[in-house]
Amino acid sequence: LVSTLASKLGLADVIADKVDLTGRVGGANPASKSLTLIHAMVAGASHIDHVDMLRAGASSKVLPFHVVAPSTLGTYLRSFTFGHVRQLDEVIEEELAKAWSLGMAPGDDPLVIDIDSTICEVSGYHKQGAA
């Protein structure tokens, strides 16, 4: 369902157009990396290693993007600066406008988006940011 919605809204194309990590380590192919992260979170991933659930079985036959490895996704996420996060804000703005124009808006009713943020402790000194 999520993959169908993302395809209908052209999410991969918008990410490819708006997110520019040129010259950053891990910055290539932001669309497939972002879609991997989005789909993993929707599937219940609580940490980066859970991305592997999207690589199991025949998932690659039903998902319209290349699912990247957890280590690749970690490198991608570390390549972001505040300015790159703002690029993602532009993606969200454009995608919500598209969704609303297709009739997905809540109308006159209030809309509540509840995003559960999980912060997990990192152990050891081998992970960037753990020190």
Side-chain angles (χ1 to χ4, degrees):
L1 184 59
V2 173
S3 185
T4 300
L5 178 61
S7 293
K8 293 272 186 200
L9 293 175
L11 181 56
D13 292 336
V14 174
I15 293 170
D17 182 51
K18 300 277 184 191
V19 179
D20 182 8
L21 296 163
T22 304
R24 310 270 310 166
V25 173
N29 304 315
S32 62
K33 293 172 184 171
S34 295
L35 288 171
T36 297
L37 181 61
I38 291 164
H39 282 73
M41 288 190 303
V42 169
S46 62
H47 60 280
I48 203 163
D49 287 332
H50 284 170
V51 167
D52 273 337
M53 76 174 102
L54 296 179
R55 299 169 52 146
S59 298
S60 63
K61 293 181 181 177
V62 296
L63 294 173
F65 60 92
H66 172 72
V67 177
V68 300
S71 59
T72 302
L73 195 55
T75 303
Y76 173 64
L77 291 172
R78 285 189 296 276
S79 70
F80 275 80
T81 65
F82 179 75
H84 296 113
V85 173
R86 298 294 300 161
Q87 292 173 1
L88 289 174
D89 287 342
E90 291 180 32
V91 171
I92 293 168
E93 182 179 348
E94 186 168 326
E95 289 298 299
L96 281 175
K98 280 185 193 178
W100 273 208
S101 73
L102 294 172
M104 295 180 205
D108 294 331
D109 297 329
L111 173 67
V112 177
I113 300 175
D114 181 17
I115 301 173
D116 182 18
S117 176
T118 302
I119 300 173
C120 300
E121 185 176 344
V122 176
S123 302
Y125 295 103
H126 297 289
K127 290 283 189 180
Q128 181 178 355

